[in-house]
Amino acid sequence: MEPLRPVSRTLLRDQAYDTLRDAIVRGDLAPGSVVKDADLAARLGLSRAPVREALARLGDEGLVETKPQSYTRVTRLVGRVVRDAAAVVRVMHELAARTGVPLLGPEGVRAMREANERFAAAVRSADVEAALRADDALHDVLVRAAGNHALAATVARYTPLLRRVERRLFGDAGRCGSAVLHDRLIEACAAGDTEEAVRVTTEIWRALEQLADDAVEAGQEPMTVSP
């Protein structure tokens, strides 16, 4: 039997980040709630160091905010912040479509169709989590086809903020998006019609920009990042 190898510090940090990010997106860690690295470390079975590193990264991404010597807390939804993130993500997906469609082969189109089938099934069963996972998988096909690391990193950084808004606003997966719009995007990709793929992509992601206003109207208290 091979001896167990120590888990790297980087891996622990990434595991802590993934777990805390997902908890914030799901609402398990509610907006405005104070989080303490010692408490989180105990709950995760980790030391405080990787948790602190994860919280620092979540702060950079706008999911937590820190006032030195005072508190770290989950950020509340702020319309301006969400609009800014949605605009950036939209532009990145437009670039992914423009760059990726000419490079997308039959396997990529097939992967998009399969993801949309999962998406539609999740919508029918009101499974928000499954719908959002399928939506991410569908759009990730073009992101990967584009082969642009900076693009992929930007999408990965800001998408959790948008998913957080979607989950808080919508009680059922039927509001998570449109399988019909996905069908139009897939058909454009299959036909190699880059311009149509970009147009549909714009339509899909512009809808998310409206969520910022909806969040405020739904009673989300605006809060800026503490100094």
Side-chain angles (χ1 to χ4, degrees):
M1 178 182 297
E2 293 185 4
L4 293 177
R5 298 178 180 178
V7 177
S8 71
R9 178 185 178 88
T10 299
L11 179 57
L12 290 176
R13 177 197 63 201
D14 291 345
Q15 289 177 342
Y17 165 79
D18 289 342
T19 300
L20 294 176
R21 178 202 60 201
D22 291 347
I24 292 171
V25 171
R26 289 193 307 268
D28 297 340
L29 294 175
S33 61
V34 174
V35 293
K36 298 180 179 179
D37 55 10
D39 292 341
L40 293 173
R43 292 170 63 183
L44 296 175
L46 298 172
S47 68
R48 295 172 67 177
V51 172
R52 284 197 298 265
E53 293 173 9
L55 289 173
R57 183 174 170 187
L58 291 167
D60 290 341
E61 297 176 2
L63 294 177
V64 302
E65 58 184 356
T66 299
K67 184 175 182 179
Q69 308 303 318
S70 182
Y71 60 76
T72 297
R73 63 187 173 194
V74 178
T75 54
R76 299 182 188 272
L77 299 177
V78 182
R80 173 185 54 79
V81 174
V82 176
R83 282 194 296 273
D84 289 348
V88 169
V89 171
R90 169 178 54 80
V91 171
M92 290 298 98
H93 280 290
E94 290 169 348
L95 177 59
R98 189 171 301 282
T99 308
V101 169
L103 303 174
L104 192 65
E107 289 187 4
V109 173
R110 182 164 50 254
M112 293 177 74
R113 293 193 195 280
E114 291 172 354
N116 201 32
E117 289 172 2
R118 296 195 301 274
F119 177 85
V123 168
R124 288 193 297 270
S125 62
D127 187 338
V128 178
E129 294 288 351
L132 293 179
R133 286 196 301 270
D135 188 66
D136 284 340
L138 186 152
H139 294 289
D140 188 55
V141 173
L142 282 174
V143 170
R144 287 186 285 107
N148 184 319
H149 176 73
L151 184 162
T154 302
V155 168
R157 175 171 182 171
Y158 291 108
T159 295
L161 175 61
L162 305 183
R163 293 314 193 199
R164 180 185 177 202
V165 174
E166 287 180 287
R167 280 196 50 81
R168 285 189 58 80
L169 283 176
F170 303 141
D172 60 72
R175 297 287 301 277
C176 288
S178 171
V180 174
L181 281 175
H182 288 165
D183 282 334
R184 286 176 50 197
L185 174 60
I186 293 167
E187 292 310 313
C189 291
D193 189 341
T194 299
E195 294 305 318
E196 176 63 10
V198 172
R199 281 192 292 270
V200 177
T201 296
T202 300
E203 187 174 348
I204 290 170
W205 291 98
R206 274 201 186 281
L208 283 180
E209 295 178 42
Q210 181 61 40
L211 291 180
D213 295 326
D214 292 343
V216 174
E217 291 172 3
Q220 303 297 335
E221 179 183 351
M223 179 178 291
T224 55
V225 175
S226 300

